[in-house]
Amino acid sequence: MENNVDITADWIHGLIRDFIAASPHNTMRNKTEDPAWDDALVGFASGADPIWQQYKEYVGPFHWTPWEVFNQHCPRESAGAEELTVVSWVLPQREAVRTANRRAKRYPSEAWARIRVYGEEFNVALRRHVADGLHKAGHAAIAPMLVSNWTIVKSERFSYASCWSERHAAHAAGLGTFGLCDGLITAKGKAMRVGSVVARISLQPTPRPYSNHRAYCLFFANGTCGKCMDRCPARAITRTGHDKEKCRQHLARSREYVKKAYKFEGYGCGLCQVGVPCEAGIPVKSAREALERGELPPPPPPLA
Ligand code: SF4
Ligand code: SF4
């Protein structure tokens, strides 16, 4: 570590936005070398936030707290939970990519499949870039998704789940709430990808501007919508939620299609993320307007 730069929210925003603007990794690898991403939402959560403990109860005991993952992988930099901040970001899908996938009926558009593979490769590079940038500035940091023991485990509640969920980290960092299809609905909608880094830095946590973890989904807010059920070609979304196994099987089938139709090794789906009211914004009017006014609801009840 070279020096001890004071880290601010603006510094982190700059680190992420500059990488999006300048990194050669930011490409769909199509003929016209279009960028995969053009913007990011960024939020921060304290390592001492009680929500991490709630995730252990809600997702499963295998879901790491920031303290657990940081101290496993940075033993020489050991830190208390209150010394850690989770930096989370959302990369919203570009309009052209959403439009292409809106037309898809069974398997993903070429643009969407390219983002699933090459856009996520950029996201991996971004995780490394943020962790390295913080390290160079004198602050230990790790990307939980990139550590050697990150894994997917069987979960009674969710059939399977991972020991670090980027969507749950983003929810903790004030960036969105969960929809009927399990996707995270953010201020820029549900068509997006997420990333995070845990660092020994102290930053003001981003307030969570929602009253509960499903506040932005029309189905949970007022019993309407359910459009993601109709969009799913695998019938993996019902009124009771998202069947991860059906979804996984459809994703596996998409590999053959992508190879044959688009001539590269890829996969994807995301049909439930487009052509729906939550595609590119918060569809619940009262929640959207409250966010625009900067209003904060009373603290939410624990996840249950
Ligand atoms: S499509 Fe409708 S029901 Fe499905 S997640 Fe979005 S708002 Fe909720
Ligand atoms: S990703 Fe595809 S298969 Fe999975 S729930 Fe969404 S639409 Fe259905």
Side-chain angles (χ1 to χ4, degrees):
M1 287 189 258
E2 290 159 10
N3 49 40
N4 250 308
V5 176
D6 269 349
I7 304 299
T8 62
D10 283 349
W11 190 93
I12 303 253
H13 276 95
L15 191 66
I16 292 173
R17 297 218 164 102
D18 290 352
F19 196 66
I20 291 172
S23 168
H25 294 287
N26 188 12
T27 171
M28 291 172 68
R29 292 202 212 168
N30 55 359
K31 281 193 189 121
T32 44
E33 288 286 333
D34 294 322
W37 312 104
D38 56 13
D39 198 9
L41 304 174
V42 183
F44 308 101
S46 165
D49 192 316
I51 201 166
W52 305 112
Q53 207 52 47
Q54 289 172 22
Y55 286 166
K56 283 203 172 289
E57 286 151 34
Y58 184 72
V59 183
F62 51 81
H63 194 277
W64 292 325
T65 63
W67 180 86
E68 283 174 327
V69 66
F70 183 90
N71 285 295
Q72 275 180 63
H73 293 280
C74 302
R76 282 183 300 172
E77 306 286 340
S78 71
E82 67 291 344
E83 296 174 82
L84 299 173
T85 292
V86 177
V87 178
S88 173
W89 58 86
V90 166
L91 300 170
Q93 295 279 9
R94 291 165 54 244
E95 166 75 40
V97 176
R98 287 187 279 110
T99 302
N101 220 42
R102 239 179 266 141
R103 293 187 207 112
K105 297 279 184 281
R106 181 154 191 84
Y107 290 115
S109 64
E110 179 172 351
W112 192 275
R114 285 186 176 278
I115 293 291
R116 182 65 189 81
V117 178
Y118 306 125
E120 183 54 27
E121 280 183 14
F122 170 85
N123 200 14
V124 169
L126 178 58
R127 291 180 184 101
R128 288 205 182 97
H129 180 72
V130 172
D132 289 352
L134 284 162
H135 194 78
K136 283 184 187 145
H139 305 272
I142 52 122
M145 290 294 288
L146 304 186
V147 299
S148 53
N149 60 339
W150 179 89
T151 187
I152 292 176
V153 294
K154 282 196 180 292
S155 150
E156 260 180 50
R157 189 172 214 154
F158 299 106
S159 72
Y160 57 90
S162 56
C163 48
W164 182 261
S165 158
E166 296 288 32
R167 286 174 307 118
H168 284 76
H171 173 73
L175 292 173
T177 82
F178 296 89
L180 179 63
C181 61
D182 264 359
L184 194 78
I185 304 174
T186 74
K188 296 274 186 178
K190 188 173 66 177
M192 53 89 206
R193 296 198 66 78
V194 261
S196 68
V197 154
V198 180
R200 196 172 64 186
I201 52 174
S202 176
L203 283 177
Q204 187 71 26
T206 308
R208 286 194 280 275
Y210 17 83
S211 54
N212 67 72
H213 68 290
R214 288 168 164 167
Y216 292 168
C217 172
L218 289 164
F219 182 83
F220 294 112
N222 56 29
T224 62
C225 190
K227 293 269 166 51
C228 49
M229 293 192 271
D230 302 333
R231 281 289 290 156
C232 178
R235 312 308 297 165
I237 307 169
T238 64
R239 295 178 70 80
T240 57
H242 176 222
D243 184 328
K244 282 190 174 182
E245 184 51 27
K246 277 189 182 170
C247 179
R248 190 193 63 76
Q249 286 174 11
H250 186 72
L251 282 175
R253 286 191 292 273
S254 75
R255 282 187 182 279
E256 202 180 324
Y257 178 84
V258 168
K259 191 170 184 178
K260 206 166 161 190
Y262 309 138
K263 316 283 184 248
F264 72 97
E265 297 286 343
Y267 65 103
C269 178
L271 270 65
C272 57
Q273 296 183 30
V274 292
V276 290
C278 55
E279 175 185 311
I282 298 166
V284 176
K285 189 165 176 272
S286 55
R288 184 178 62 246
E289 291 179 350
L291 181 66
E292 283 162 5
R293 290 194 298 271
E295 278 174 21
L296 290 178
L303 297 173

